[in-house]
């Protein structure tokens, strides 16, 4: 006899309409999405093999090539956040016991070390204090000592606000016969990045920072040198979902099913990349630098000191030293709760010592800076 279970209505949940506070996101990410991007996400959903979506995929790839400044055929958005794109580079290029050298100068260099080790690499690292960058001479010495298969380095270190100069690093890697993997999570679309000219073999980024798009579709590009290493692997890629030999058949000419792509997130990414192209990369880079300078000048007027020397500062992310006697977390909480402004605290070696202020994409505007200064002027103690 079939049992009939009665519904217990005492367990029924109320379902109020979703409402979220109108935050100004001036932290380390995400940034606020551009209104056009939000609108694009509401377009009618189609299937991931629908002809209209397959056409859109090609357009996204072309826009990504422009934004990365590359002709790489394998230039795609990974279905996942920036960390998924980051893991894609290591999952595909590392075979057990490969020597991987990571130039660590912050939290996300350490994440590279962790990921590489999980794929069986013989991981070596060189370190700089959090707030400094590596010189070509230091990188050359490390490459000569360790002779790695891969060098990993962060272009824009989100934990410190340091811009790593990359000119000449690709040449060094070719001289020593290794691949160059670059983290461009906090640089793509905001300040100069030239994948091909700088001879970067693999680079990954995210959608939710400089591109002013929600997280979930993360740019990735690989050149032929990287693909040759992948094609000549002796072992199967350990991560099925991120295996580019499979994913590339979906994003390549075959358009062969691999996974259900996040349809509406790709609508959003397309619109975000259109905004980049319409503004133009050089104009966009200039805007970010101009607004960063406005931020730095205003911080000095408030008596605040930037952690990173000006020549190495990111226009996207500024680390500010917390003054003596000021409760770092309390200022952030008051900004969030009383002014609807989010900034970030320090990570790792800089935890409790700095605030991190982001000016990325749509949020890199004078009105964002003025609103922040107005709030900080009320919250910080007067000298």
């Amino acid at each position: 006899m079939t049992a009939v279970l009665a519904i217990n209505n005492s367990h029924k949940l109320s379902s109020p309409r979703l409402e979220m506070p109108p935050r100004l996101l001036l932290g380390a990410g995400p940034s606020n999405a551009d209104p056009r991007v939000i609108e694009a996400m509401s377009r009618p959903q189609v299937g991931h093999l629908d002809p209209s979506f397959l056409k859109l995929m090609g357009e996204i790839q072309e826009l990504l090539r422009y934004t990365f400044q590359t002709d790489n055929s394998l230039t795609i958005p990974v279905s996942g956040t920036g960390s998924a794109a980051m893991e894609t580079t290591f999952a595909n290029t590392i075979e057990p016991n490969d020597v991987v050298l990571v130039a660590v100068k912050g939290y996300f260099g350490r994440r590279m070390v962790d990921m590489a080790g999980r794929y069986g690499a013989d991981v070596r690292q060189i370190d700089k204090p959090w707030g400094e960058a590596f010189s070509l001479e230091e990188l050359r010495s490390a490459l000569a000592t360790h002779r790695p298969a891969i060098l990993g380095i962060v272009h824009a270190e989100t934990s410190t606000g340091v811009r790593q100069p990359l000119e000449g690093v690709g040449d060094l890697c070719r001289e020593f016969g290794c691949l160059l993997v670059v983290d461009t999570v906090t640089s793509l679309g905001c300040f100069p990045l030239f994948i091909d000219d700088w001879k970067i073999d693999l680079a990954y980024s995210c959608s939710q920072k400089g591109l002013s798009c929600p997280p979930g579709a993360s740019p990735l590009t690989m050149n032929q040198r990287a693909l040759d290493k992948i094609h000549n692997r002796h072992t199967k890629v350990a991560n099925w979902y991120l295996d580019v030999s499979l994913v590339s058949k979906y994003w390549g000419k075959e358009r062969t099913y691999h996974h259900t792509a996040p349809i509406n997130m790709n609508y959003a990414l397309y619109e975000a990349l259109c905004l980049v192209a319409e503004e133009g990369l050089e104009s966009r880079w200039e805007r970010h630098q101009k607004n960063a300078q406005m931020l730095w000048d205003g911080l000095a007027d408030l008596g605040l000191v930037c952690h990173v020397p000006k020549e190495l500062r990111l226009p996207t992310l500024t680390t500010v030293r917390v003054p003596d006697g000021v409760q770092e977390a309390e200022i952030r909480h008051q900004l969030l709760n009383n002014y609807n402004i989010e900034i970030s605290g320090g990570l790792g070696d800089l935890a409790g010592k700095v605030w991190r202020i982001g000016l990325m994409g749509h949020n890199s505007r004078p009105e964002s800076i003025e609103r922040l200064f107005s709030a900080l002027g009320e919250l910080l103690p007067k000298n």
Side-chain angles (χ1 to χ4, degrees):
M1 182 176 180
T2 303
V4 178
L5 300 180
I7 298 297
N8 185 343
N9 285 314
S10 66
H11 293 160
K12 186 176 181 180
L13 301 176
S14 61
S15 53
R17 185 177 178 85
L18 177 64
E19 292 187 12
M20 299 299 287
R23 308 292 199 201
L24 175 60
L25 302 178
L26 298 182
S31 64
N32 292 97
D34 189 283
R36 272 178 53 180
V37 172
I38 296 295
E39 193 277 332
M41 293 183 72
S42 67
R43 300 288 171 83
Q45 186 175 336
V46 298
H48 58 285
L49 294 174
D50 187 288
S52 60
F53 186 70
L54 298 181
K55 179 175 182 293
L56 182 69
M57 290 168 67
E59 293 169 352
I60 289 171
Q61 288 177 281
E62 282 303 309
L63 287 163
L64 277 177
R65 290 185 185 106
Y66 168 70
T67 307
F68 269 128
Q69 288 293 282
T70 185
D71 292 325
N72 290 343
S73 176
L74 202 154
T75 302
I76 63 173
V78 174
S79 298
T81 61
S83 294
M86 179 182 191
E87 186 149 8
T88 301
T89 63
F90 291 115
N92 284 273
T93 56
I94 292 174
E95 292 202 82
N97 301 314
D98 276 354
V99 175
V100 175
L101 175 65
V102 182
V104 178
K105 53 183 169 48
Y107 183 90
F108 292 96
R110 288 180 179 174
R111 182 172 292 185
M112 281 187 169
V113 169
D114 188 5
M115 282 190 182
R118 289 169 185 252
Y119 286 99
D122 175 3
V123 185
R124 322 279 178 85
Q125 71 181 72
I126 53 174
D127 296 273
K128 292 287 283 189
W130 288 31
E132 299 181 14
F134 289 92
S135 68
L136 279 178
E137 292 74 19
E138 289 168 327
L139 293 174
R140 171 181 285 280
S141 176
L143 289 170
T145 298
H146 298 285
R147 299 286 172 167
I150 297 168
L151 169 67
I153 196 164
V154 179
H155 186 209
E157 179 50 76
T158 317
S159 63
T160 65
V162 166
R163 176 186 59 82
Q164 171 64 50
L166 291 176
E167 297 90 329
V169 179
D171 287 318
L172 278 180
C173 288
R174 296 193 181 198
E175 179 181 341
F176 285 93
C178 70
L179 295 178
L180 173 59
V181 174
V182 175
D183 179 322
T184 67
V185 164
T186 311
S187 58
L188 183 66
C190 297
F191 62 95
L193 172 65
F194 300 96
I195 296 298
D196 288 355
D197 287 352
W198 290 348
K199 299 177 183 176
I200 297 169
D201 298 300
L202 306 94
Y204 56 86
S205 191
C206 71
S207 54
Q208 74 270 17
K209 295 194 180 186
L211 300 183
S212 295
C213 181
S218 301
L220 170 78
T221 189
M222 297 184 177
N223 67 14
Q224 193 57 50
R225 292 180 80 237
L227 292 176
D228 287 345
K229 187 175 193 309
I230 294 168
H231 294 154
N232 291 320
R233 291 180 62 98
H234 300 291
T235 58
K236 185 178 290 189
V237 173
N239 189 314
W240 180 90
Y241 183 66
L242 302 177
D243 186 340
V244 297
S245 68
L246 303 176
V247 176
S248 63
K249 293 178 181 177
Y250 178 49
W251 282 94
K253 294 179 180 178
E254 302 97 326
R255 294 292 195 247
T256 302
Y257 166 71
H258 175 260
H259 67 279
T260 303
I263 306 300
N264 293 63
M265 265 308 307
N266 277 282
Y267 295 170
L269 181 61
Y270 170 76
E271 194 68 26
L273 293 169
C274 285
L275 287 165
V276 172
E278 289 169 16
E279 184 175 5
L281 277 176
E282 290 186 351
S283 295
R284 195 175 181 90
W285 297 340
E286 182 180 351
R287 170 168 63 87
H288 280 80
Q289 191 64 46
K290 180 179 179 181
N291 290 326
Q293 187 63 57
M294 178 181 174
L295 174 68
W296 300 336
D297 290 344
L299 290 170
D301 291 341
L302 288 171
L304 298 172
V305 177
C306 292
H307 179 65
V308 176
K310 186 174 181 179
E311 65 272 15
L312 293 178
R313 282 181 210 160
L314 301 176
T316 46
L317 194 288
T318 298
T319 45
V320 185
R321 293 175 184 165
V322 178
D324 292 339
V326 172
Q327 297 296 315
E328 180 272 324
E330 181 60 25
I331 295 295
R332 286 191 291 111
H333 292 161
Q334 289 192 50
L335 281 172
L336 189 69
N337 297 325
N338 300 333
Y339 298 90
N340 271 320
I341 299 173
E342 177 184 275
I343 64 172
S344 300
L347 285 176
D349 292 1
L350 296 180
K353 300 177 182 178
V354 299
W355 292 304
R356 293 182 295 153
I357 301 173
L359 294 177
M360 307 178 200
H362 179 67
N363 285 353
S364 182
R365 297 179 291 167
E367 49 265 46
S368 300
I369 303 167
E370 290 164 359
R371 182 173 160 187
L372 175 63
F373 284 157
S374 176
L376 287 176
E378 296 177 12
L379 293 176
L380 293 173
K382 305 297 187 291
N383 292 330

